[in-house]
Amino acid sequence: MTKFDKSKLPSRHVTEGPSKAPHRSFYHAMGMTEEEIHQPLVGVASCWNEAAPCNISLNRQAQSAKAGVREAHGSPREFTTITVTDGIAMGHEGMRSSLASREAIADTVELTMRGHCYDALVGLAGCDKSLPGMMMAMIRLNVPSVFVYGGSILPGRAPTDAGIPEDLAGRDLTVQDMFEAVGRHQNGTLSSEALAVLERVACPSAGACGGQFTANTMACVSEAIGLALLNSSGAPAPYESRDQYAAASGTAVMNLLEKNIRARDIVTRKSLENAARVVACTGGSTNAALHLPAMAHEAGIEFYLEDVCDIFRDTPYFVDLKPGGEYVAKDLYEAGGIPVVMKELRKAGLLHEDCMTVAAMSLGEALDQIEGEADGKVIYPIETPITKTGGVVGLKGNVAPEGAIVKVAGIAAKDQVFTGPARVFECEEDAFEAVQNRAYKEGEVLVIRNEGPAGGPGMREMLSTTAALSGQGMGKKVALITDGRFSGATRGFCVGHVGPEAAHGGPIAFLKTGDMITIDAIKGELSVDLTEDEMAKRKAEWKGPRETIYASGAVWKFSQLVGATYKGAVTHPGAKAEKHVYMDL
């Protein structure tokens, strides 16, 4: 009835033999035929919901993935999990749920797969944390797996009338422009009427935010790391070609199952390095330096913030995408997408071609089938990059012994060194209020602490604050450091992931307003002009972590379990501690 040997697959525990008659009765109740019951059971997991446009098309694409599984003689079993969408959660207490949702997605997909003994997984996701969360589940379970991105949103277009400023009129828009428009409105350079017009046209379709923000960055990672079919991440969400990629992904997972190619055969140290290369050369989100270590953790691989930053440092930046550049995800897709980007990396010897992919062939073999070349507009030839080093830089120093990270894509070299007095804020709300009221000075380093994974809790993104600064025209006139995160849409000299975080007694907890701080993205340093004796004195006087209002519930649970930022802010021991592999039970 099937070419698969069920005696070696997890689903045998719920479909085979007389003792499983009660289990099979449930499958009959759902209309499954005898043949379908005895075929491999493939989980088709999606983060579909009505929270935001990034997820709204996932249900449609999941149906195509199921069709692909059926065509290859598998039995798809669809289920959904949560998403917290950063665009909606941004700038308020809801953002504390965001990073915790990554862990919840990985956990719930794992529990569903384990509880029902599914043999393989097709995972569909469309939001910042749902992409890494879904891929983490694949690696943790180590089943044959294929990832499908829901696709980006189409760019909006600002009208040329209605009082729209000249620099916006007739231009492509993303949600980043809306956050910055708030700053303009506060600054008195954008009318309430124009703001209302822009908010109605900025996001015209289903799909994730269109720049090289976190969702699109992690979508690029899914291809580069080998868990997604080449070019599958590029097409915008409304395009019907997305459904074809989803169907092909369903067929591909059955091929992987037949060949027993599992997620950890694909996710290796080399493929993680490939993924970091693609993030660097596209000017991707700093959040990748949080998610790649977390994905590595699921495979038992030590691949930390510093390792990611080492790759960023010697990778040319040659793909001109927002927020640092000009173009959006749709433009990259039309220019050939990530396969063409990887072909350029290959020319410079910056790609491990021998890595396995979900196409059941090596990355090099898969790229050999790609005909496109760099267009010189969106994708520059690697010989003539935008800059010779990556768009993201790692920093260390007496403020961040465990490291920190800054996005320099689109920032001129002369603006990549900044020294100024600190202005310290104990949380994002205090900083945002100060920015709104212009209660800061040009040349200062704004320090936002107590926003780390444990201390926030939740490691919130600071887009509202940074976008307001940009909207006020101060993006290059002040710097900002935090033990929290910055959105992939952030631009300006903004340092995140400072570790150890304040709640864990990191040096950022001991900074005072007026301390002279130097951020040097050329040398990779983040330091404060204080002696070791003075730092030790302040540490001895420290009164401990700032108390939060989260004393129970999921956010509290996350704060109690979460580990160091440089290791990916993970909440369980990972593959190094496991005593079994799910697939082999």
Side-chain angles (χ1 to χ4, degrees):
M1 298 177 69
T2 175
K3 60 183 176 181
F4 295 91
D5 181 1
K6 290 277 280 194
S7 69
K8 296 180 180 179
L9 297 180
S11 62
R12 71 185 186 277
H13 297 300
V14 295
T15 64
E16 305 307 303
S19 66
K20 306 307 178 197
H23 306 69
R24 290 193 296 272
S25 68
F26 278 131
Y27 291 118
H28 285 299
M30 291 183 283
M32 290 180 71
T33 66
E34 195 73 22
E35 181 180 10
E36 288 171 335
I37 291 170
H38 293 288
Q39 290 179 159
L41 304 184
V42 178
V44 177
S46 86
C47 299
W48 178 86
N49 58 46
E50 294 181 334
C54 20
N55 310 303
I56 205 73
S57 72
L58 294 176
N59 184 50
R60 180 196 95 218
Q61 296 179 52
Q63 307 318 306
S64 296
K66 288 162 66 178
V69 170
R70 287 194 193 95
E71 186 175 343
H73 306 290
S75 296
R77 310 311 302 154
E78 183 180 2
F79 63 96
T80 59
T81 187
I82 69 158
T83 307
V84 173
T85 300
D86 286 7
I88 299 291
M90 193 70 68
H92 56 88
E93 286 293 303
M95 180 52 78
R96 301 198 190 281
S97 300
S98 175
L99 186 57
S101 76
R102 184 192 72 182
E103 305 302 296
I105 290 163
D107 290 350
T108 51
V109 172
E110 177 199 358
L111 291 172
T112 302
M113 292 286 291
R114 283 184 178 275
H116 303 100
C117 299
Y118 294 156
D119 302 316
L121 175 61
V122 178
L124 301 95
C127 251
D128 293 8
K129 307 307 171 296
S130 61
L131 277 82
M134 189 65 73
M135 289 186 275
M136 286 164 66
M138 293 172 172
I139 304 164
R140 184 185 303 178
L141 289 161
N142 198 25
V143 295
S145 304
V146 180
F147 179 82
V148 182
Y149 179 43
S152 70
I153 201 168
L154 293 168
R157 180 60 64 91
T160 55
D161 50 12
I164 304 300
E166 282 188 19
D167 64 323
L168 287 176
R171 205 191 80 185
D172 281 353
L173 298 175
T174 70
V175 73
Q176 171 198 355
D177 296 294
M178 289 312 306
F179 279 101
E180 293 184 5
V182 172
R184 293 183 184 221
H185 182 258
Q186 292 167 348
N187 201 30
T189 57
L190 185 73
S191 69
S192 296
E193 293 76 16
L195 182 67
V197 169
L198 290 175
E199 75 178 57
R200 286 169 171 79
V201 299
C203 300
S205 72
C209 303
Q212 194 64 341
F213 313 147
T214 304
N216 279 315
T217 296
M218 296 310 296
C220 295
V221 162
S222 72
E223 287 189 42
I225 210 166
L227 285 173
L229 293 172
L230 282 189
N231 213 31
S232 65
S233 70
Y239 284 21
E240 290 187 4
S241 57
R242 293 228 56 82
D243 301 282
Q244 295 171 321
Y245 277 114
S249 298
T251 303
V253 84
M254 295 301 296
N255 186 40
L256 296 176
L257 186 60
E258 183 178 1
K259 291 179 167 64
N260 194 28
I261 298 174
R262 306 182 185 185
R264 293 184 204 169
D265 297 322
I266 292 170
V267 178
T268 63
R269 173 73 188 215
K270 286 183 177 180
S271 71
L272 286 158
E273 290 176 359
N274 286 343
R277 292 278 185 209
V278 166
V279 174
C281 73
T282 59
S285 169
T286 55
N287 282 313
L290 191 70
H291 302 321
L292 286 173
M295 291 166 65
H297 180 74
E298 301 290 357
I301 299 169
E302 291 185 0
F303 189 68
Y304 299 147
L305 173 65
E306 190 170 359
D307 299 306
V308 177
C309 290
D310 285 345
I311 292 170
F312 288 169
R313 189 179 300 114
D314 65 358
T315 306
Y317 163 51
F318 59 88
V319 186
D320 192 20
L321 296 172
K322 290 176 180 288
E326 290 296 316
Y327 299 100
V328 295
K330 173 178 174 286
D331 301 315
L332 175 59
Y333 173 65
E334 291 173 351
I338 290 304
V340 171
V341 173
M342 289 196 286
K343 283 177 66 177
E344 291 300 311
L345 288 170
R346 179 166 70 170
K347 289 178 184 176
L350 295 177
L351 203 69
H352 300 294
E353 295 185 59
D354 57 341
C355 294
M356 179 56 65
T357 69
V358 293
M361 64 178 71
S362 73
L363 180 59
E365 291 169 332
L367 289 176
D368 287 341
Q369 300 178 3
I370 302 298
E371 296 181 357
E373 299 292 339
D375 67 338
K377 181 180 174 184
V378 181
I379 305 171
Y380 285 55
I382 198 166
E383 300 85 3
T384 55
I386 300 169
T387 60
K388 293 182 179 180
T389 60
V392 177
V393 174
L395 307 171
K396 273 195 170 183
N398 64 350
V399 174
E402 290 180 353
I405 196 165
V406 60
K407 190 171 186 176
V408 297
I411 299 178
K414 65 181 178 64
D415 297 320
Q416 291 184 24
V417 179
F418 195 106
T419 297
R423 183 175 292 271
V424 178
F425 300 97
E426 301 298 335
C427 62
E428 183 193 13
E429 284 82 1
D430 291 353
F432 185 63
E433 182 179 358
V435 170
Q436 280 186 305
N437 296 328
R438 300 300 290 264
Y440 65 92
K441 296 178 181 177
E442 183 176 327
E444 289 183 331
V445 178
L446 310 186
V447 178
I448 306 177
R449 63 187 175 203
N450 303 307
E451 292 290 1
M459 201 180 187
R460 289 190 291 179
E461 292 187 343
M462 307 290 164
L463 180 59
S464 292
T465 301
T466 59
L469 286 168
S470 292
Q472 292 175 2
M474 298 295 287
K476 293 182 179 180
K477 298 177 182 178
V478 298
L480 202 156
I481 71 171
T482 181
D483 51 6
R485 296 180 293 130
F486 289 113
S487 164
T490 289
R491 57 177 173 171
F493 210 34
C494 302
V495 179
H497 301 201
V498 172
E501 62 172 295
H504 289 166
I508 193 173
F510 317 137
L511 298 180
K512 296 180 180 179
T513 295
D515 290 343
M516 292 301 294
I517 293 175
T518 295
I519 307 166
D520 189 332
I522 307 296
K523 294 181 180 178
E525 294 179 3
L526 175 60
S527 60
V528 59
D529 188 16
L530 295 174
T531 65
E532 290 185 15
D533 288 345
E534 176 62 21
M535 289 291 276
K537 177 187 174 187
R538 293 187 185 186
K539 184 173 184 177
E541 295 171 347
W542 184 54
K543 296 179 181 179
R546 177 174 179 261
E547 187 175 339
T548 79
I549 60 172
Y550 294 90
S552 64
V555 175
W556 172 85
K557 187 187 298 184
F558 175 80
S559 73
Q560 301 304 300
L561 293 172
V562 70
T565 298
Y566 79 96
K567 293 183 176 180
V570 292
T571 56
H572 72 113
K576 279 196 170 184
E578 70 186 12
K579 296 183 179 180
H580 76 273
V581 173
Y582 159 74
M583 193 74 179
D584 298 327
L585 280 177

